[in-house]
């Protein structure tokens, strides 16, 4: 399967871009999964629901399944930063996995860059020093702080980004056996 990460500071449009890429790949007949990094304490189930009650009672894992959906919730006794490759191993084999966050992971990634957000927050880009960045999606190609030979695509153009990702070919292939 092909794996590509999307990184950049909060509020630059990563989620919106990923939504567009998922839709574009699905239109092309591809099966797509997404791995998203979240902060401590996120919740998928609501207080009062059975899954939440089981988790609150101390269950290590709660798997909720219906004829159309499955969700696995796992509680760790202490904070644990799982490497992205461990999370990828949890997934069913698909054509593409898009990873939001994990900007320091050793996977191919697209840096999402907004000049205005970077200027306001003082964020430096990672593409000049990160060999895993395969493309940059930006609202202002003319305002990139460091020139690059990597493909640069308009932030709102998921189709153009998908074309760049397809052109990357084998570079995006993820071999699970290397991380088993």
């Amino acid at each position: 399967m092909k794996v590509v990460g999307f990184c950049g500071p909060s509020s630059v449009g990563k989620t919106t871009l990923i939504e567009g890429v998922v839709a574009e790949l699905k239109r092309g007949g591809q099966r797509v999964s997404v791995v998203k990094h979240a902060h401590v304490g996120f919740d998928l189930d609501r207080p009062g629901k059975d899954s939440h009650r089981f988790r609150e009672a101390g269950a290590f894992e709660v798997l909720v399944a219906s004829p159309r959906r499955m969700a696995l919730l796992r509680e760790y006794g202490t904070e644990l930063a799982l490497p992205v490759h461990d999370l990828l191993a949890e997934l069913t084999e698909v054509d593409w996995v898009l990873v939001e966050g994990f900007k320091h992971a050793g996977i191919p990634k697209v840096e999402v860059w907004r000049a205005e957000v970077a200027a306001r927050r003082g964020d430096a880009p990672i593409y000049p020093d990160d060999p895993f960045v395969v493309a940059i999606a930006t609202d202002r190609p003319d305002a990139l702080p460091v020139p690059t030979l990597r493909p640069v695509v308009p932030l709102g153009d998921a189709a153009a980004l998908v074309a760049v990702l397809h052109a990357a070919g084998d570079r995006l292939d993820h071999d699970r056996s290397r991380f088993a």
Side-chain angles (χ1 to χ4, degrees):
M1 64 187 174
K2 299 202 178 290
V3 172
V4 65
F6 290 75
C7 63
S10 62
S11 302
V12 293
K14 294 182 302 290
T15 300
T16 302
L17 180 59
I18 291 170
E19 283 177 311
V21 171
V22 168
E24 197 64 33
L25 289 168
K26 187 152 172 69
R27 243 187 309 282
Q30 303 288 291
R31 287 186 347 141
V32 184
S33 292
V34 177
V35 173
K36 174 165 177 39
H37 182 266
H39 298 287
V40 176
F42 74 93
D43 224 340
L44 294 179
D45 55 348
R46 297 186 315 270
K49 300 303 279 178
D50 293 351
S51 58
H52 187 269
R53 292 172 59 195
F54 299 147
R55 210 168 38 78
E56 289 294 307
F60 173 64
E61 290 184 330
V62 176
L63 191 140
V64 181
S66 74
R68 298 190 57 85
R69 183 173 297 142
M70 187 226 22
L72 174 65
L73 301 168
R74 184 176 297 154
E75 291 289 323
Y76 298 107
T78 60
E79 283 191 30
L80 178 64
L82 289 172
V84 72
H85 297 289
D86 289 359
L87 299 171
L88 293 169
E90 294 283 336
L91 297 176
T92 300
E93 188 81 18
V94 293
D95 299 305
W96 288 85
V97 178
L98 310 180
V99 178
E100 184 176 344
F102 299 95
K103 80 175 181 182
H104 298 296
I107 59 171
K109 59 190 82 131
V110 173
E111 182 166 6
V112 181
W113 180 261
R114 275 192 192 271
E116 178 186 319
V117 173
R120 185 175 63 242
R121 296 173 42 137
D123 293 324
I126 67 167
Y127 67 85
D129 301 313
D130 188 338
F132 290 100
V133 175
V134 297
I136 297 124
T138 181
D139 60 333
R140 297 262 323 271
D142 61 317
L144 288 178
V146 179
T148 183
L149 296 176
R150 293 175 176 94
V152 177
V153 298
L155 186 54
D157 193 345
L161 182 55
V162 167
V164 166
L165 296 177
H166 280 303
D170 296 345
R171 183 168 182 200
L172 304 183
D173 287 349
H174 177 74
D175 181 0
R176 287 181 191 232
S177 65
R178 288 185 44 220
F179 303 99

